[in-house]
Amino acid sequence: MKEVFVLVKRNILIFMRDRASVFFSLLSMLIVLMLMAVFLGNMNTDETVELLEQYGGIRDAVLDRENARGLVGMWTLAGVLLVNCVTVPMTVMGNMVTDEAEGRLATFYIAPVKRSKIALGYILASWVIGMLFCLLTFALGEGYLVVYGNAALGVSDLITMAGMILINTFLYSAIAYLLALYIHSTGAWSGMLTVIGTLVGFVGAIYLPVGMLPEKIVSALKMFPVLHGASMMRSVCTRDSLAETFYGLPKELSEGYQESMGITLWADDKAISVFTSVVFVIGLSAAVTVAAFVVSRYRAGRDR
């Protein structure tokens, strides 16, 4: 595994030495976080308060708004984290496309190193940087919400969130490598990232909650790991806020809200558990990684 370690280190250093790329990656995360907190946060907070006023009877309006703001803040943070789990590893994987465009990848392929190790070098480098950036986003977002009155997540929830970030960033690192095998220019890769960065917010029901989408579209989105990743993170981030916001109200109201906001996913009139979503993401990660190795080996035979 020494070759893998060397390749991972090399790919991480190449990305980190490009200060402009690192800066704009961090800046884009902060911009998305701020825009979603300001615009989507206000809209969803108002809708949540209206829901509480409609079904809650006589309540403390000020407290309801504070609780709703905290709930929507955690919901928004989970969505931003999922977006970063997708986009950051794919940005880092641009190293591979650049290597191929500039002829360095061909040099790796003729070296006495297995294609699987070269693949792991790119995948793990994207995974490590993706995790670091996502954990940084999580820390900044959580810190911001705590400063503005939210209760901090417990240690067990923080560990769970770190684990969810870990498995989601690995999945999209593997997917990024598989896509990079078929894209041979930096311009095409940049264009694809723009499309993916735009679509992921809709596929994950982040820009528009699940309740605002047609039922057939929601059913189709449940087949994609993006929605499952967003749902599992939301379930952890919003657990305490949901209890505070819907305290004293019928359980059905909270369940309906969770379904509408994509916190809980349903299939055949049965809630999809977080465990099921986690298994789905892990299983897909393994399948994509195997597919990447197979395609790499196929290309190795074809290039001879």
Side-chain angles (χ1 to χ4, degrees):
M1 294 298 289
K2 181 180 179 181
E3 296 93 340
V4 175
F5 176 80
V6 171
L7 289 169
V8 170
K9 181 180 178 181
R10 176 255 182 193
N11 293 328
I12 290 176
L13 289 176
I14 287 176
F15 179 79
M16 298 304 292
R17 284 172 182 169
D18 188 349
R19 296 180 181 179
S21 180
V22 173
F23 172 76
F24 284 111
S25 294
L26 291 172
L27 182 62
S28 64
M29 291 191 307
L30 295 177
I31 290 174
V32 171
L33 183 61
M34 292 175 62
L35 289 176
M36 292 186 70
V38 173
F39 295 104
L40 288 180
N42 289 337
M43 179 184 69
N44 290 325
T45 296
D46 291 340
E47 292 179 353
T48 304
V49 171
E50 290 176 3
L51 178 67
L52 295 174
E53 291 175 347
Q54 182 177 358
Y55 295 97
I58 301 175
R59 295 175 62 87
D60 186 332
V62 175
L63 181 60
D64 277 347
R65 177 161 289 275
E66 290 179 356
N67 289 337
R69 184 180 296 112
L71 171 59
V72 171
M74 296 304 292
W75 181 89
T76 301
L77 176 58
V80 172
L81 285 172
L82 195 279
V83 171
N84 289 341
C85 285
V86 177
T87 58
V88 175
M90 291 196 168
T91 300
V92 180
M93 193 59 69
N95 286 346
M96 176 179 168
V97 179
T98 301
D99 284 342
E100 180 169 6
E102 297 181 358
R104 289 188 292 268
L105 192 59
T107 303
F108 292 156
Y109 286 162
I110 63 174
V113 180
K114 291 183 178 179
R115 284 284 181 104
S116 59
K117 292 183 178 181
I118 296 174
L120 280 176
Y122 286 111
I123 292 173
L124 294 180
S126 298
W127 183 41
V128 170
I129 295 177
M131 281 194 300
L132 291 177
F133 277 44
C134 288
L135 290 173
L136 177 60
T137 303
F138 181 46
L140 292 174
E142 174 72 354
Y144 171 84
L145 292 171
V146 169
V147 168
Y148 280 87
N150 264 39
L153 292 176
V155 175
S156 61
D157 287 338
L158 293 174
I159 294 173
T160 301
M161 282 298 298
M164 290 179 175
I165 289 172
L166 181 150
I167 62 173
N168 278 281
T169 50
F170 184 85
L171 170 60
Y172 296 106
S173 297
I175 290 175
Y177 177 80
L178 191 58
L179 292 174
L181 289 171
Y182 294 97
I183 296 179
H184 311 294
S185 72
T186 55
W189 186 258
S190 297
M192 187 197 69
L193 286 182
T194 301
V195 173
I196 290 176
T198 303
L199 288 178
V200 66
F202 292 99
V203 177
I206 295 164
Y207 301 147
L208 291 175
V210 169
M212 298 179 66
L213 300 174
E215 185 176 348
K216 290 184 178 180
I217 292 179
V218 175
S219 297
L221 293 180
K222 290 175 185 176
M223 296 185 290
F224 291 89
V226 176
L227 187 56
H228 287 267
S231 174
M232 68 172 73
M233 292 186 184
R234 288 167 180 160
S235 66
V236 176
C237 285
T238 63
R239 184 185 297 115
D240 294 338
S241 296
L242 281 168
E244 294 177 355
T245 303
F246 289 91
Y247 178 77
L249 296 175
K251 181 180 178 181
E252 292 76 15
L253 185 61
S254 176
E255 291 177 346
Y257 179 85
Q258 292 178 61
E259 181 179 2
S260 176
M261 296 298 286
I263 298 171
T264 303
L265 302 179
W266 289 74
D268 298 327
D269 297 325
K270 183 178 180 181
I272 300 174
S273 67
V274 173
F275 177 77
T276 300
S277 293
V278 169
V279 171
F280 173 62
V281 171
I282 292 175
L284 188 58
S285 298
V288 172
T289 303
V290 171
F293 289 167
V294 171
V295 173
S296 293
R297 185 174 298 178
Y298 167 77
R299 285 191 58 183
R302 187 187 64 182
D303 295 343
R304 287 194 183 100

